[in-house]
Amino acid sequence: MIRIRDLTLPAEQGEGALLYAAAKALRLPTSEIKTLAIFRRSLDARKKPVLRWVYTVDVTLRSGEGALLRRSRDPRISRAEPYIYRIPKKTASSRPVIAGFGPAGMFAALVLARAGLRPIVLERGDCVETRREKVEAFWNGGALDTESNVQFGEGGAGTFSDGKLNTGTKNERSRWVLQQLVKHGAQEEILYDAKPHIGTDVLFTVVQRLRGTVERLGGEVRFGARLIGLERENGALTAVRYVKGGEERRLECASVILAVGHSARDTLRALSAEGVALEPKPFSMGVRIEQRQERIDLAQYGAERAPSVPPADYKLNVHL
């Protein structure tokens, strides 16, 4: 497979023109290209109001790629070596426990389930279906459920913030995470857009399907189950304690993943009191500002937004 970087197209042109741009870069007829897939896409607005899409694409050729790669001197063209995240099959003396079913807990459960370890997830909030009902009732003036709300429950806090997928972390497994989201119902564009987001409505379904996969592979998700402590013997974990239905319970295990999120302060205090090492991180606060989309488009694009161009956005960081 060949990877071609920095293919540029005017913003008003559709993705259909990519085939011709790729063939031109390879100096081949379009008929020689067997497959073409977008690997990455971003919108270049540095010379606004002239906007251009910048693509990275992967192609295969009908006659093979070896000869072309040997003779090509174009720095934009290289061999594509896709990273494959392989999950080995494992066995364990006890089922691993995961505290929290937000993004970290969800994907930890997915990986452990595919490894054959049948994880047990303890999530203090409700499943996303019940959780959405409670959140909407609260937004409409109802009572706050302190255990199942915007912060706590299946999917984590991001479930109600449009499912943004930005990260500053460089990790080769990030694409695998996006692939799993697509496999469970997210739109394919998140695999290659520079600033991908799923959307709250779509994420609602994706989260349920991810849970379904974990359960089909032998995992278990216990909702309304709040972790309250750990039990250890000779320095080794032997069990976790949690509350469900107002009743304290005990679950034997030899390993636990703490994916409780940043808002479970009661859990963090309990863990700290038991000697679990906690490391502080800088405090970060996000502010949501509503502005007219046409003003943001004008500022970012220099003109009224064309139908082929997505709504503009921006991010302002202030470090104090």
Side-chain angles (χ1 to χ4, degrees), residues 194-206:
K195 295 181 179 179
H197 76 278
I198 296 178
T200 298
D201 292 341
V202 176
L203 187 61
F204 177 78
T205 301
V206 171

Side-chain angles (χ1 to χ4, degrees), residues 207-242:
V207 166
Q208 294 177 68
R209 291 177 177 175
L210 278 164
R211 184 217 314 163
T213 296
V214 171
E215 292 173 336
R216 282 193 300 273
L217 293 171
E220 180 184 350
V221 183
R222 300 180 185 179
F223 293 110
R226 175 169 54 88
L227 180 75
I228 59 172
L230 311 178
E231 292 184 11
R232 286 171 285 184
E233 186 175 324
N234 297 325
L237 180 70
T238 57
V240 297
R241 301 190 310 278
Y242 67 99

Side-chain angles (χ1 to χ4, degrees), residues 57-125:
V57 299
D58 290 340
V59 301
T60 60
L61 305 180
R62 300 188 185 279
S63 58
E65 294 83 44
L68 187 144
L69 286 168
R70 285 192 295 270
R71 70 171 183 266
S72 175
R73 297 294 179 267
D74 190 332
R76 299 177 300 165
I77 298 172
S78 62
R79 184 180 300 277
E81 298 179 355
Y83 171 77
I84 300 176
Y85 181 36
R86 302 188 188 280
I87 302 173
K89 291 294 182 180
K90 295 288 185 178
T91 58
S93 57
S94 65
R95 299 170 70 179
V97 173
I98 302 166
F101 204 52
M106 191 176 302
F107 279 93
L110 182 63
V111 171
L112 292 175
R114 288 188 172 165
L117 294 174
R118 302 170 57 241
I120 299 174
V121 180
L122 305 178
E123 167 55 56
R124 69 189 296 171

